[in-house]
Amino acid sequence: MAGGLLNVYWVLSLLCVLQMVETVSGARAPSAGAHISSQFPASGVSQTGVVDCREVCGLNASDRCAFVRINPDCRSDGGYLDYLEGIFCHFPARLLPLAITLYAFWLLYLFLILGVTAAKFFCPNLSAISTTLKLSHNVAPLDMSPHGVTFLAFGNGAPDIFSALVAFSDPRTAGLAFGALFGAGVLVTTVVAGGIAILRPFTAASRPFLRDIVFYMAAVLLIFTALYRGRVTLAWALGYLGFYMFYVVTVVLCTWIYQWQRRRSLVCSMPATPEMLSDSEEERVSSNTNSYDYGEEYRPLLLYPETTAQILVRALNPLDYRKWRTKPVYWRVLKVFKLPVEFLLLLTVPVMDPDKEDRNWKRPLNCLHLVISPLFLTLTLQSGAYGVYEIGGLFPVWAVVVIAGTALAAVTFFATSNSEPPRFHWLFAFLGFLTSALWINAAATEVVNILRSLGVVFRLSNTVLGLTLLAWGNSIGDVFSDFTLARQGYPRMAFSACFGGIIFNMLVGVGLGCLLQISRVHMEVKLEPDGLLVWVLAGTLGLSLVCSLVLVPLQCFQLSRVYGCCLLLLYLTFLAVALLTEFGVIHLKTV
């Protein structure tokens, strides 16, 4: 139990670190005050002449470029690329379909970057940190799935959390966050849960299922209340985070009570119970949630001492030629797209693996990380604004970082050896964690900006973009991993992952996102839902949870293929209603 409470403490500490990072990297202009509660008007912001950016498509083609350049509502306060200016100023009107196609491919590639960074760099470093601090990777035996309630939930939910933080940092895109969080919730509780039941019918774990679904319903109710009130105060933002910590403590207590009861039992051999996975399942999850196995992919072919240059080349090679020859064509095609991203990540993000004998110590590459990782951090904070800042108007910050990093790398190189990791090697896990977090933050910023641009072009609300493209993109990895677990004979584990992770994403995503916005502008966040669509979204999520809460116990927790098909039908119905609502076919009558 003490270990679980330590997990809570360290998760809070990591969230505080990310809050500081996000506050610095995502600092916005005061224009966000336009959507802050009216009792705290923003100073120095003129709202005259601000027109909804989506009106640009109603103008003549010759006027669109000037409109997006002078209209404040069309400006992106973060990110590296101005997508609206690219569409309307650099592409002729007749090539608009080409521009949209290129943006769609770039969006897919950004989702690929998010997935690779989270799976192969962010999660392994997070796992290494918890191992170094002698903390359990998971709180409860049941939660030994891709979505544990602390470190693993944080690692696997990183794309969702960072997307929500970026979206909440600008009130114009807050609808993306609500759409993505609610949309992902509906997707996971219907499509994923239903797909697992169709692939392999099973008996759900009764007590953990009831516990998680009740907590998730309470979380949805809290978010729904905030939408109804139209604002989130500091107390409410802290309340969301506190409620998640209460959920973690509840899981810890339930697990401790169950293990205490199990120890008191005189039965030597017991069948697997809903609160405990079998040893085979535990072994399987341990292999799935462990850090990325660089030993398998970068194992030397010849057993002789390698030179420093050979170690560097092998460490920077993201391709295992033996695996390449045995994999199918689709895997090779996807790997070709991954190679540039993986190479850049290997070059900028150190990864520590405490399970390996050398803890993944690559002296030349790790010394190179001491130069490149701080430089990347500097050039990523606030989209590079801090990196190009000149100290005293003469010397840029990035040059200072390079000089200091080079000196530190030189000392480390000459004070260590290739064969044995140094005592301070564990610090590279923290450096890798921070660097990969900023990688995810940068990619999430571009995702939010490009989705907002597509919404302007097609005149779609941010909510519908969030519940479709953003929710699908952030959840696709979870869908495949959960379906794979179900096919391999672990449907209970996959089903439990449907709820533990989305509770974290919703409460921490909304709570931390609003807390960051409040800390920047010192005002409560005003929520402006996109009409009826948000209520349809929240209502559908609540309906799916109520149906599961009622129907699953009535079936004695037996999840059949019929139940799975009903969940899929519910999602298709929701999607049809949401799109009809977005396009005005379904609307409220005005009196």
Side-chain angles (χ1 to χ4, degrees), residues 104-188:
F105 280 114
W106 175 231
L107 180 63
L108 293 175
Y109 202 69
L110 286 171
F111 282 128
L112 182 67
I113 294 174
L114 285 171
V116 171
T117 308
K120 293 188 176 182
F121 296 86
F122 188 80
C123 289
N125 279 311
L126 206 56
S127 176
I129 290 173
S130 65
T131 300
T132 301
L133 298 175
K134 294 181 172 56
L135 303 176
S136 172
H137 288 203
N138 310 284
V139 172
L142 177 67
D143 293 311
M144 289 166 46
S145 62
H147 291 88
V149 295
T150 52
F151 281 101
L152 294 178
F154 185 32
N156 288 274
D160 308 82
I161 295 300
F162 278 95
S163 297
L165 295 183
V166 173
F168 274 118
S169 66
D170 188 341
R172 295 172 301 177
T173 56
L176 275 174
F178 282 107
L181 293 173
F182 279 116
V186 176
L187 179 71
V188 170

Side-chain angles (χ1 to χ4, degrees), residues 463-501:
T463 303
V464 77
L465 289 171
L467 70 91
T468 53
L469 295 179
L470 189 56
W472 295 340
N474 285 339
S475 302
I476 191 67
D478 298 333
V479 171
F480 282 114
S481 63
D482 291 340
F483 283 177
T484 300
L485 282 173
R487 283 195 300 267
Q488 292 177 347
Y490 309 107
R492 179 185 296 177
M493 185 191 311
F495 188 76
S496 69
C498 294
F499 295 94

